[in-house]
Amino acid sequence: MDSHAIYKPIRFLKGGQVHTLARVAPTRTLLEVLREDLHLTGTKEGCGEGDCGACTVVVGELQDGKLQTRAVNSCIKLAHSVDGMALWTVEDLATPDGTLHPAQAAMAECHGSQCGFCTPGFVMSLAALSEQHPPRAIDRDLASQALSGNLCRCTGYRPILDAAVAMARMPRQRLDTPPVRSGLKALAQIAQAEKQALASRPAKPKPARSPYATPTELSTLLALRKAQPEAQVVAGCTDVGLWITKQHRDFAQVLDLTRVSELRQIDDYPHHIAIGAAVSLSEAFAALVAQRPALQSFAQRFAGLPVRNAGTLGGNVANGSPIGDSMPLLIALGAHVVLASTKGFREMPLEDLYLGYRKTALRPDEVLGWIKVPKPVPSSKGRRKGAVSSGEFCRVYKISKRFEDDISAVCLALQVVLDGGRVVSASIGAGGVAATPVRARASQAALQGQPWNASTVRAAMATLRGEFAPISDMRASSAYRSEVLGNLLLRFWLESQGTPLADVHALTASDLEAVQP
Ligand SMILES: Cc1cc2nc3c(=O)[nH]c(=O)nc-3n(C[C@H](O)[C@H](O)[C@H](O)COP(=O)(O)OP(=O)(O)OC[C@H]3O[C@@H](n4cnc5c(N)ncnc54)[C@H](O)[C@@H]3O)c2cc1C
Ligand code: FES
Ligand code: FES
């Protein structure tokens, strides 16, 4: 630990008390602090990489006067990131007289727990679910979504899903109480008083080193980025957290941008929405789905809910993994990114951000500020149910070995704008097929201006299969990846014709004959 650094204490509200922790290293995780410093061992460590949910806790923040709660993975969350927040672990759910929270009582009643190792995580996800939805509205689908980041290796999920639904039979217990709200307001006042005291100090020749900086304004973030280009920028830490827990990397300085108000907003403009880089994946996908409801099922296949609650869209884009899921979609939608520094802003199409394998055009003094996503071109329906005759048709397909909470072998996003049966424009983004997320320019050209029919699609399928030279790895072989690209284009075309491919049995022989290469 740096002995010259100025360590800001971490303060958070838990179990009705303010906890203050001094001199916490910037890369210490919330799980380490809970188990090792506070000796709260109810929260478990399973995988240490956001996959199993054993470490799930609930965090709460006041936003526009409302308490927003979300389940997150404490194993990859940095302890400093909960400064000023309310935190609930499994120790906080039962009331002081021992009355169990409905999430606990229902798990016991439905025999949802066997090993006890994963159970605290399931209970916390259920507690967040019952906080966010009226218990009577919780059905098995909603419960499956809420539990998408929790693994049970023994009993199976049926009794756990039963427990989620059974919570409706029990008296509701809220995490959101007046003492929690007033406690959070008191923490905000302390933080504000500290900020003012710091600002009124005489200027120093050099800025004091702060191992974990959480600026709240864009101008401060950019000044810090310029002054400390070596500091590790973090947002939701769902990528960086694994560098710490799995690769044992250490960072002397961390620059956390999740409190920057300008980057936490989604702004609506006449022709696009601008999603701030610090907006969580859950909120960003909700905004994208509001524009294009067909994206709903894809949004739910991005990691599990606790990862989507913590991770940001900006982090996914800035990280630039070739198998990241949002970028093929954003490329297909024609998204632009806005990069910010103390010198000003620059804007570029998303695909131009990627220069090579995990190499981006971001300069050392820049951060990703916003992702601008064009709004859909209105479409009109074709004669067959679900078919589109003009306007935009857009889909994104994720191919992975496991349906839930898995990384893509291939991700393909396609958007066509049709007019009078012709392709006015085609836009295709692909992941898992090159060193970066890419735009499929040759395949777009094969579709552009052509009639939107089987022979055009056949020709474009061949182009798409040959456009990239994907590698073979544990997720898929090169040949499989190429083959599946073409198949997905075929699926896209069939869906645009009103063929509901979610149910393959609904495919008629003539559907297939029409497009057999
Ligand atoms: C269990 C699990 C499942 C996952 N599943 C998926 C999945 O299905 N699909 C998928 O695509 N990804 C998945 N991920 C990866 C991860 O969740 C995403 O990449 C996420 O969007 C990263 O965002 P973050 O805010 O957590 O970024 P962080 O981890 O905080 O940062 C990631 C990188 O981006 C940089 N960065 C972040 N924000 C900015 C900014 N504004 N400006 C400049 N640089 C910035 C950081 O410096 C760092 O290099 C998964 C991760 C886990 C742990
Ligand atoms: S320990 Fe497995 S998700 Fe945190
Ligand atoms: S109850 Fe813990 S793994 Fe199933």
Side-chain angles (χ1 to χ4, degrees), residues 330-346:
L330 293 168
I331 288 172
L333 297 180
H336 280 214
V337 286
V338 180
L339 312 183
S341 74
T342 51
K343 294 187 206 105
F345 302 98
R346 39 188 201 123

Side-chain angles (χ1 to χ4, degrees), residues 184-259:
L184 283 174
K185 282 181 193 149
L187 284 183
Q189 280 162 2
I190 296 173
Q192 185 61 22
E194 279 178 351
K195 201 173 156 190
Q196 279 165 358
L198 213 60
S200 61
R201 273 194 207 168
K204 293 196 168 148
K206 267 186 169 183
R209 272 176 295 164
S210 166
Y212 197 98
T214 46
T216 52
E217 287 137 23
L218 184 62
S219 56
T220 317
L221 169 72
L222 299 179
L224 285 170
R225 186 83 184 113
K226 186 177 176 206
Q228 305 169 346
E230 70 290 352
Q232 176 61 45
V233 171
V234 302
C237 218
T238 60
D239 282 315
V240 176
L242 275 69
W243 306 347
I244 294 166
T245 61
K246 297 292 152 177
Q247 297 171 9
H248 304 290
R249 285 168 70 180
D250 198 11
F251 304 111
Q253 285 183 316
V254 169
L255 184 52
D256 178 338
L257 49 74
T258 53
R259 308 294 173 105

Side-chain angles (χ1 to χ4, degrees), residues 122-475:
F122 274 103
V123 165
M124 293 314 293
S125 289
L126 289 178
L129 176 68
S130 79
E131 186 65 20
Q132 292 151 2
H133 300 274
R136 292 198 182 284
I138 298 172
D139 58 14
R140 295 178 93 80
D141 284 346
L142 200 54
S144 295
Q145 274 307 307
L147 298 172
S148 56
N150 294 88
L151 287 182
C152 169
R153 300 157 183 89
C154 58
T155 64
Y157 296 95
R158 188 197 45 80
I160 302 172
L161 292 170
D162 289 346
V165 178
M167 289 194 293
R169 293 201 301 271
M170 299 168 188
R172 198 173 185 197
Q173 242 183 66
R174 298 300 307 264
L175 304 181
D176 183 356
T177 59
V180 167
R181 284 163 181 253
S182 51
L184 283 174
K185 282 181 193 149
L187 284 183
Q189 280 162 2
I190 296 173
Q192 185 61 22
E194 279 178 351
K195 201 173 156 190
Q196 279 165 358
L198 213 60
S200 61
R201 273 194 207 168
K204 293 196 168 148
K206 267 186 169 183
R209 272 176 295 164
S210 166
Y212 197 98
T214 46
T216 52
E217 287 137 23
L218 184 62
S219 56
T220 317
L221 169 72
L222 299 179
L224 285 170
R225 186 83 184 113
K226 186 177 176 206
Q228 305 169 346
E230 70 290 352
Q232 176 61 45
V233 171
V234 302
C237 218
T238 60
D239 282 315
V240 176
L242 275 69
W243 306 347
I244 294 166
T245 61
K246 297 292 152 177
Q247 297 171 9
H248 304 290
R249 285 168 70 180
D250 198 11
F251 304 111
Q253 285 183 316
V254 169
L255 184 52
D256 178 338
L257 49 74
T258 53
R259 308 294 173 105
V260 176
S261 53
E262 294 95 324
L263 303 187
R264 292 183 64 151
Q265 289 166 208
I266 300 176
D267 291 313
D268 192 28
Y269 295 94
H271 301 294
H272 71 274
I273 54 170
I275 302 176
V279 170
S280 73
L281 288 158
S282 294
E283 290 166 311
F285 277 124
L288 293 172
V289 168
Q291 302 278 325
R292 295 175 171 89
L295 299 178
Q296 174 70 33
S297 56
F298 173 72
Q300 290 173 345
R301 291 195 58 202
F302 190 113
L305 185 62
V307 167
R308 294 199 299 272
N309 283 344
T312 61
L313 188 65
N316 199 231
V317 167
N319 195 38
S321 162
I323 44 174
D325 281 329
S326 71
M327 297 83 101
L329 171 63
L330 293 168
I331 288 172
L333 297 180
H336 280 214
V337 286
V338 180
L339 312 183
S341 74
T342 51
K343 294 187 206 105
F345 302 98
R346 39 188 201 123
E347 182 175 327
M348 62 183 72
L350 173 55
E351 57 271 30
D352 293 354
L353 181 66
Y354 304 115
L355 305 179
Y357 179 66
R358 292 198 183 258
K359 199 165 173 271
T360 69
L362 272 163
R363 295 174 184 147
D365 64 345
E366 276 180 328
V367 294
L368 170 64
W370 295 269
I371 299 136
K372 291 168 69 175
V373 186
K375 289 185 176 174
V377 177
S379 58
S380 55
K381 308 234 176 299
R383 265 175 292 158
R384 211 166 151 186
K385 189 166 174 263
V388 169
S389 66
S390 70
E392 178 185 299
F393 187 74
C394 172
R395 291 289 184 272
V396 53
Y397 305 109
K398 172 170 176 169
I399 303 297
S400 57
K401 286 194 170 167
R402 198 172 59 193
F403 187 78
E404 278 177 330
D405 206 356
D406 201 1
I407 303 294
S408 290
V410 170
C411 183
L412 187 72
L414 305 111
Q415 182 211 53
V416 285
V417 176
L418 305 173
D419 188 19
R422 231 162 238 288
V423 181
V424 178
S425 70
S427 183
I428 306 176
V433 297
T436 66
V438 276
R439 179 176 284 286
R441 293 183 193 281
S443 307
Q444 290 176 178
L447 294 172
Q448 190 96 21
Q450 301 299 317
W452 186 230
N453 62 20
S455 64
T456 300
V457 171
R458 259 201 300 270
M461 282 165 69
T463 309
L464 188 54
R465 284 188 177 125
E467 185 159 0
F468 305 106
I471 56 164
S472 293
D473 64 11
M474 61 179 179
R475 294 201 173 84

Side-chain angles (χ1 to χ4, degrees), residues 44-55 73 75:
K44 304 292 188 252
E45 178 168 14
C47 63
E49 57 181 66
D51 257 320
C52 75
C55 66
N73 303 112
C75 67

